[in-house]
Amino acid sequence: MTASPQPSGRSFPGSGLAKGLAVTLRTMTKKTVTAQYPETQPDLPPRTRGVIGLFEENCTVCMLCARECPDWCIYIDSHKETVPPAAPGGRERSRNVLDRFAIDFSLCMYCGICIEVCPFDALFWSPEFEYAETDIRDLTHERDKLRDWMWTVPAPPALVPAAEEPKEYAAARKSADRTAAQQAAEAATTARPEPTRPEPTRPEPTQPKPDRPEDGDAR
């Protein structure tokens, strides 16, 4: 049988204690970096997953966020309303009207799936995290409170210098420029007076001149 190889380095008694003391002494000489919270607020990155804000105007009650939530912590209620036709002779249409939108943050796992699947950009992450409650029932935020969180959502970061403009911005700008050009052309056409054609002048009728008396005729 072959003998097992012996470790090359030999440890003397108390070497582990000496290494631990060395780490302690080295750490004691460094400046502390502990932030005294809450006196010193942390500088959080913009994409911090703190709380979810709701931009109600963009919500179409498609229920995608509630269906895709792994914890089933999003509660949505709505009803249908009939919209009259926009033009005479048109057909009436129905639309969903939001009645309730609530998120139970005591169940939320902060996965962000609801924000990713929202097709109309109605949900956003806010870096705010100071919303602890003594009663767990108060962690269910209704639509009004979710709307208040929306005002704490930071602005999107600026683009990298010399980066290409997003296609959505370029398409929106082209559409806006086209609409502005059409409106300007219509305004110019309305303000420009139509040229008036001169009326044809009619020749005045000439009256016959009286005969001049000849010399020698009695007057």
Side-chain angles (χ1 to χ4, degrees), residues 61 75-78 97-103 140 142-143:
V61 201
Y75 312 107
I76 300 176
D77 294 332
S78 66
V97 179
L98 185 65
D99 293 330
R100 185 196 182 197
F101 195 109
I103 299 178
T140 301
E142 298 292 338
R143 56 191 289 188

Side-chain angles (χ1 to χ4, degrees), residues 148-171:
D148 293 338
W149 288 124
M150 188 63 204
W151 309 125
T152 63
V153 175
L159 297 176
V160 179
E164 294 183 0
E165 186 180 31
K167 296 181 180 179
E168 295 81 2
Y169 290 172

Side-chain angles (χ1 to χ4, degrees), residues 42-52 110 115 124-129 152 154:
D43 187 12
L44 301 175
R47 295 174 64 87
T48 299
R49 298 185 177 187
V51 72
I52 298 174
Y110 301 90
I115 298 176
F124 295 87
W125 277 119
S126 169
E128 298 293 330
F129 63 95
T152 63

Side-chain angles (χ1 to χ4, degrees), residues 92-160:
E92 295 182 348
R93 296 186 179 184
S94 62
R95 66 173 182 178
N96 292 324
V97 179
L98 185 65
D99 293 330
R100 185 196 182 197
F101 195 109
I103 299 178
D104 188 356
F105 286 101
S106 64
L107 299 177
C108 180
M109 58 186 295
Y110 301 90
C111 63
I113 293 178
C114 58
I115 298 176
E116 295 295 332
V117 300
C118 180
F120 301 104
D121 291 336
L123 297 174
F124 295 87
W125 277 119
S126 169
E128 298 293 330
F129 63 95
E130 297 177 323
Y131 52 94
E133 300 289 348
T134 57
D135 191 349
I136 194 173
R137 291 172 294 184
D138 294 336
L139 286 175
T140 301
H141 295 183
E142 298 292 338
R143 56 191 289 188
D144 295 336
K145 196 167 186 179
L146 295 175
R147 180 59 179 264
D148 293 338
W149 288 124
M150 188 63 204
W151 309 125
T152 63
V153 175
L159 297 176
V160 179

Side-chain angles (χ1 to χ4, degrees), residues 63-72 74 111 113-118:
M63 304 293 291
L64 275 177
C65 54
R67 287 199 296 263
E68 297 295 333
C69 178
D71 293 334
W72 292 86
I74 300 178
C111 63
I113 293 178
C114 58
I115 298 176
E116 295 295 332
V117 300
C118 180

Side-chain angles (χ1 to χ4, degrees), residues 209-213:
K209 296 181 179 181
D211 297 336
R212 296 177 63 182

